[in-house]
Amino acid sequence: DMRSEGKRSIQHAIACNTFNGGHVFGGRIHAPSGIDLRTEGMVLMKNGIHQASATAAEVLGNPIHAVAFIANKLGELGLGLNAGMVLLTGSIVSSIPIAAGDTVQIRFSTLGDLTMRFAD
């Protein structure tokens, strides 16, 4: 896990968000108004067994700090954010290993639930 060793580059940050697996996006979109992302909670279950839980404050104290970091890094590279971009601010909990046949359920306190079954 390159997040725990030495100096991290922008390439390391990107790799840590991609080499561990994939990302799943739901169809329901929530406006950020009225949601305090610092207190957004998440429970992660695999095959009905609790794996992890946390609040979004685990992401640099507030996910908005991760968004600011991304925007500032892009600015340093002469780039910017555009409407419709998806920002991956980091997971609230650590990644878990999955295998064919596993069912993973994620429950958020405000943002909704997501259930995935990984095909055999």
Side-chain angles (χ1 to χ4, degrees), residues 48-59:
I49 299 170
H50 178 270
Q51 300 293 305
S53 56
T55 61
E58 304 300 326
V59 183

Side-chain angles (χ1 to χ4, degrees), residues 14-29:
I14 293 167
C16 282
N17 268 334
T18 58
F19 80 94
N20 284 327
H23 303 283
V24 177
F25 298 95
R28 199 166 90 186
I29 298 173

